[in-house]
Amino acid sequence: MLYHLIAFLAAIAVVLLVTPIVNDLGHKAGFVDQPNERKIHTRPMVRLGGVSIFLGNLVALLIVWNAGGFGVLPQPAEYQIWGVTLGGVAFFLIGLADDLLTLPALLRLVLQFLVAGIVWAVGVKIRIITVPFVGIVDLGWLSLPLTTVWLVGIANAINFIDGVDGLAAGVSGIAASAMFFVCMLMGEPEAGLLAAALAGGALGFLRYNFNPAQIFMGDGGAYFMGFTLAGLGVIGLVKAYTAVAILVPLLILAVPIVDTSTVVFNRLLKGQSPFAPDKRHLHHRLLKAGLSQRITVLFIYCLTLWVGSLALALAGLPGGWGYAVAASLLMGFASWYVWQRVRSSEND
């Protein structure tokens, strides 16, 4: 646990130190996100905050690796750790290129599936799935398409919810924290190191990204965090041949999964590109209902914490059901509070 704490704190420290530097350089170089009728922010914002999140994770993991925190891994586990780590680097670079050069959506998608396919080849694979009324099924050759869709889908889901100050960073930080505890419970401490560093980087970034934000993470940060979360869901959680082990990552990432799936499905029904920008996401609907950015983000945090607590309880965390009950009470209060604010806004 000492190495995990080091990874968490080192990632936070690097992000806190590097983000202001990245922000200054981004303004000077002109790499800013301009406001328009579709976006919420009202002034130019640097969109390279993902650089500091990435550097925070990189430095944290290098410190732990140099100190011997990863130990000596058997070959399959070592390949999986390297697969998620280097895959995260590749996804970050794809996102960074988009932040700097504005790549076509189709090119980004092709590159992402190519990287995901390589990561699958080195051992980051979803090998099993639970089928209702059937049980656990070995996927065989279907492992490749399912794994790549999972890795690419979660990376883009985190990017899609990055539409309100602090939302993607906070949701990712909560999800990474939940994955850390589950990885430790399932005897995957090496994957837990990746989760601890990711949680530290994401939560540290909130110092500059929570409303009113000073900087955006951009596609680089969102793709990096989304891919790493998806990869952790494969190597750290979906290993045991039980329905619970397969359900846990789906619960932890339920908020971006459900939100993105709903929006993409609606776009396809209307004959639009799944990447076409619109205002159908959950955070857009809450803002339209009259909530402030802060209340919107905090409500979605509560929602993420709630489903994450259910995942921890199902995974067998000591006292997990107690945490789940507490999170359910918090979710109930948050829902009541939001309902009251919406009613007040309608009456006004």
Side-chain angles (χ1 to χ4, degrees):
M1 287 291 288
L2 175 61
Y3 288 120
H4 299 87
L5 181 61
I6 291 173
F8 179 76
L9 294 177
I12 290 179
V14 172
V15 170
L16 291 176
L17 290 171
V18 172
T19 302
I21 299 173
V22 172
N23 198 21
D24 289 341
L25 293 175
H27 277 295
K28 291 176 181 178
F31 294 120
V32 296
D33 194 14
Q34 297 290 348
N36 59 38
E37 68 281 354
R38 188 182 59 84
K39 297 177 180 178
I40 296 172
H41 62 283
T42 57
R43 59 188 176 87
M45 299 285 291
V46 172
R47 56 177 181 266
L48 299 178
V51 173
S52 61
I53 298 173
F54 172 74
L55 290 177
N57 276 259
L58 179 63
V59 171
L61 293 176
L62 285 175
I63 290 173
V64 172
W65 176 76
N66 188 59
F70 282 95
V72 179
L73 295 172
Q75 193 174 83
E78 182 179 5
Y79 282 179
Q80 290 173 350
I81 293 294
W82 278 110
V84 173
T85 303
L86 296 180
V89 173
F91 267 69
F92 165 72
L93 293 176
I94 293 170
L96 181 62
D98 187 48
D99 292 328
L100 298 175
L101 305 173
T102 311
L103 302 179
L106 181 59
L107 176 59
R108 295 200 308 270
L109 196 62
V110 170
L111 292 173
Q112 288 170 354
F113 270 105
L114 178 62
V115 172
I118 295 172
V119 168
W120 176 88
V122 301
V124 181
K125 301 179 179 181
I126 301 174
R127 303 175 185 274
I128 55 175
I129 193 171
T130 301
V131 178
F133 309 111
V134 176
I136 305 296
V137 175
D138 192 301
L139 289 172
W141 65 269
L142 288 174
S143 171
L144 174 58
L146 186 60
T147 302
T148 54
V149 167
W150 167 260
L151 295 173
V152 173
I154 297 299
N156 282 280
I158 296 298
N159 190 43
F160 282 172
I161 68 169
D162 187 26
V164 184
D165 294 352
L167 182 56
V171 168
S172 297
I174 294 170
S177 299
M179 285 195 174
F180 163 73
F181 288 109
V182 178
C183 286
M184 300 303 288
L185 280 171
M186 293 193 171
E188 300 292 340
E190 296 81 14
L193 286 168
L194 302 186
L198 188 67
L203 297 176
F205 188 65
L206 284 177
R207 163 65 181 80
Y208 306 101
N209 187 237
F210 193 72
N211 182 260
Q214 302 172 41
I215 186 173
F216 293 159
M217 71 173 63
D219 288 357
Y223 285 158
F224 171 71
M225 292 197 300
F227 173 85
T228 306
L229 286 170
L232 287 170
V234 176
I235 70 169
L237 280 62
V238 187
K239 280 194 170 183
Y241 277 69
T242 65
V244 168
I246 299 169
L247 181 62
V248 165
L250 292 174
L251 269 176
I252 292 174
L253 296 169
V255 172
I257 289 174
V258 173
D259 181 59
T260 299
S261 299
T262 302
V263 170
V264 168
F265 182 70
N266 285 332
R267 289 172 184 170
L268 293 175
L269 280 180
K270 295 188 176 183
Q272 299 174 334
S273 165
F275 295 97
D278 55 36
K279 289 191 174 183
R280 299 192 186 112
H281 289 282
L282 175 61
H283 55 269
H284 289 133
R285 297 178 186 275
L286 292 174
L287 290 170
K288 187 177 180 180
L291 300 181
S292 68
Q293 282 200 54
R294 287 194 171 195
I295 297 300
T296 293
V297 169
L298 290 174
F299 176 74
I300 298 177
Y301 285 177
C302 288
L303 188 57
T304 306
L305 183 63
W306 175 58
V307 293
S309 71
L310 295 178
L312 292 177
L314 286 173
L317 181 75
W321 286 109
Y323 297 131
V325 170
S328 298
L329 293 174
L330 177 62
M331 188 67 228
F333 172 76
S335 300
W336 172 83
Y337 181 79
V338 165
W339 179 62
Q340 291 292 328
R341 293 295 294 264
V342 170
R343 285 187 61 190
S344 176
S345 176
E346 290 175 347
N347 292 334
D348 292 342

